[in-house]
Amino acid sequence: LFSFSHKAALYPCAVVRWFNTIGDLPDEDTGMWVVQPAHQANNAPHISVIHIDTIYCAAHLIPVYSTQFVPPNLQHYQTYDHFHKFYIKKYADHHAFEITS
């Protein structure tokens, strides 16, 4: 989160990384939606700056793990680089459950 001022007005903002759903239905085994990071036409990540008043609800993402072990030195900020698909955790709270169900 960050903010900036323009003509004496303060604008609180957030940087958002966008995701696309995979398929038209939630995952059959978990009941959770599967998403992947969205990319621009030039393959750059789709990232935007938005006003925080436009945020409806935060999303909790769980990596879709493969059959390989997760490297023990993997840092949280490397998650988007290491994993390519994520579950949207609908059990995080009541609002998330209502939105994703």
Side-chain angles (χ1 to χ4, degrees):
L1 298 176
F2 69 97
S3 60
F4 67 93
S5 298
H6 179 68
K7 295 186 179 182
L10 183 66
Y11 297 93
C13 299
V15 177
V16 176
R17 173 119 189 225
W18 297 102
F19 288 79
N20 295 325
T21 57
I22 298 174
D24 296 327
L25 297 170
D27 179 71
E28 187 176 315
D29 295 326
T30 64
M32 293 186 279
W33 287 93
V34 180
V35 295
Q36 63 188 2
H39 290 87
Q40 309 273 0
N42 64 357
N43 207 33
H46 188 181
I47 298 173
S48 299
V49 173
I50 63 170
H51 193 284
I52 62 168
D53 286 350
T54 63
I55 298 172
Y56 184 71
C57 181
H60 293 245
L61 300 178
I62 303 169
V64 175
Y65 299 100
S66 68
T67 56
Q68 299 175 0
F69 288 107
V70 176
N73 59 345
L74 184 70
Q75 300 296 315
H76 64 89
Y77 54 83
Q78 297 169 318
T79 303
Y80 291 148
D81 297 325
H82 188 78
F83 298 100
H84 304 288
K85 297 179 187 175
F86 299 86
Y87 294 109
I88 297 179
K89 184 179 177 184
K90 70 181 198 175
Y91 306 107
D93 59 39
H94 171 74
H95 298 290
F97 184 79
E98 289 295 317
I99 293 168
T100 59
S101 294

